[in-house]
Amino acid sequence: MARPIEFNHQQAVDKALLLFWRKGYQATSMSDLVDAMEISRSSFYSAFKDKRSLFLLCLDLFGERTCQVLQKARIQMAAIDALQFFFERHLSGPRPQQASLGCMLVNTVLEMAGVDDELSDRASEHLVEMQNLFEDCLGDAGCQPEQAHALAGVLMLLNEGIRVASRRRMKRQDQLDPIATTFSMLRQQIAVGT
């Protein structure tokens, strides 16, 4: 009879997610994972099958959590304010030390494109979902559908650029200033378009 898994599954996944986010898929070894997750190899294989399966789980979880930040903000504030909060939170939110890690989705696209297209495509799917949320917020802010679509594309490029800039360890204010400028122009564009 197989022994039951004796560890906190969600805590182990959260630790693995942070490790993958910090090091990337290829640089994270099985030893790194079991050490970070504080579980045995047998427990790892029993619970997660293999490194790739765990990475996909973590990638999906990261995508869901990232979208939830914007979804929760939309409930609490005006749509355009929620968008600006989403961008600024990465740099000044509850865990600013994680800002230097960039975005696990963007990191995965950069790391895995042309190496493992399935992993790169999975990360890209989550980025498309995020861009769709941007577009929904812009529609709620008063943009016409074509304008919302175009501006959501601009915001996604800004998002990806900020996440890469974060990995360069740019000063926080040097990243916040372009966000403020972008949203100032965005608010003006929305006012003109409505």
Side-chain angles (χ1 to χ4, degrees):
M1 184 173 182
R3 289 179 50 196
I5 298 171
E6 297 177 5
F7 63 91
N8 184 308
H9 189 272
Q10 191 56 57
Q11 285 180 0
V13 170
D14 286 341
K15 290 175 182 178
L17 186 153
L18 189 56
L19 182 64
F20 281 132
W21 188 7
R22 188 169 46 84
K23 293 185 74 170
Y25 178 73
Q26 296 179 96
T28 301
S29 69
M30 279 300 301
S31 295
D32 293 336
L33 282 168
V34 295
D35 288 348
M37 297 166 76
E38 300 175 17
I39 62 175
S40 68
R41 282 184 183 261
S42 61
S43 292
F44 177 92
Y45 288 116
S46 177
F48 304 107
K49 185 179 168 191
D50 57 28
K51 173 182 156 180
R52 182 186 186 81
S53 298
L54 176 60
F55 183 78
L56 287 167
L57 174 70
C58 291
L59 199 60
D60 291 345
L61 183 60
F62 187 93
E64 290 167 21
R65 288 178 177 172
T66 302
C67 287
Q68 285 172 358
V69 170
L70 182 52
Q71 290 164 336
K72 288 178 182 175
R74 283 177 74 182
I75 294 167
Q76 300 171 352
M77 56 188 83
I80 194 71
D81 295 332
L83 278 168
Q84 187 166 354
F85 168 82
F86 173 83
F87 280 85
E88 292 173 346
R89 181 185 179 276
H90 174 71
L91 299 167
S92 55
R95 295 185 180 129
Q97 71 278 10
Q98 291 181 349
S100 66
L101 300 178
C103 168
M104 187 175 173
L105 303 174
V106 174
N107 296 348
T108 300
V109 170
L110 294 173
E111 177 190 9
M112 303 310 293
V115 175
D116 186 325
D117 289 334
E118 182 186 354
L119 294 181
S120 178
D121 290 348
R122 183 76 149 262
S124 292
E125 288 169 13
H126 287 292
L127 290 169
V128 168
E129 182 182 346
M130 191 182 311
Q131 185 169 334
N132 290 339
L133 281 174
F134 294 168
E135 190 170 336
D136 290 346
C137 281
L138 290 163
D140 290 348
C143 291
Q144 296 300 315
E146 303 82 25
Q147 182 188 31
H149 181 75
L151 292 175
V154 170
L155 287 180
M156 181 49 71
L157 289 176
L158 175 67
N159 178 62
E160 292 170 354
I162 289 168
R163 306 318 176 197
V164 172
S166 296
R167 296 299 301 243
R168 290 178 42 214
R169 301 184 192 280
M170 288 175 61
K171 292 179 184 175
R172 187 170 72 100
Q173 199 59 46
D174 289 344
Q175 295 174 68
L176 286 170
D177 288 345
I179 294 170
T181 300
T182 299
F183 276 90
S184 175
M185 292 187 302
L186 191 61
R187 288 171 199 277
Q188 290 172 8
Q189 179 69 30
I190 291 169
V192 168
T194 55

